[in-house]
Amino acid sequence: MIVDIQEIKEQIRRIAQKGKEGIALTRHAKEQMKEREVDIIDILNVLNWGEVVHDLDENADMKFKVKDKDLEGEPLCVVIILLNQDSLLVITVHG
């Protein structure tokens, strides 16, 4: 599937700008957040300002990595799947 990365960036930012309302977290993401001391504010920051890369996955066409820094300046990558126009699922977070 070919995606327009600029449209995807805009969609991710629209979702993030609404706050945590349109963002679901997997159990794995919650575990990684706790382990890495990442909170939802860090995730929202990365989703709003980060570089978006299409993460080609045969099981998920709309999977993306969003890379930037957390609020403390540490590298943070948020792996997401876009569920629809108004919501996304955070799969995991890592440095």
Side-chain angles (χ1 to χ4, degrees):
M1 173 180 205
I2 298 174
V3 299
D4 180 337
I5 203 70
Q6 187 59 39
E7 282 183 26
I8 297 299
K9 285 180 187 180
E10 291 170 9
Q11 181 180 353
I12 292 169
R13 281 156 180 61
R14 273 194 310 272
I15 294 168
Q17 288 170 1
K18 291 190 275 183
K20 60 183 180 179
E21 145 189 342
I23 299 172
L25 305 166
T26 63
R27 183 179 327 144
H28 176 74
K30 290 177 186 176
E31 291 168 357
Q32 291 301 302
M33 288 170 65
K34 185 175 182 179
E35 181 179 314
R36 300 180 193 296
E37 299 180 359
V38 170
D39 63 24
I40 192 68
I41 302 301
D42 291 314
I43 289 174
L44 291 170
N45 187 61
V46 169
L47 295 177
N48 271 306
W49 303 106
E51 173 192 2
V52 177
V53 177
H54 194 188
D55 188 8
L56 298 175
D57 185 326
E58 63 187 42
N59 298 317
D61 285 340
M62 299 302 283
K63 184 176 178 187
F64 300 90
K65 292 181 181 177
V66 188
K67 302 175 182 181
D68 204 348
K69 295 186 176 173
D70 66 15
L71 295 176
E72 289 77 37
E74 296 296 320
L76 181 61
C77 178
V78 181
V79 181
I80 66 160
I81 293 178
L82 286 171
L83 300 174
N84 56 47
Q85 289 295 321
D86 300 315
S87 63
L88 59 83
L89 177 65
V90 176
I91 304 299
T92 193
V93 298
H94 56 83

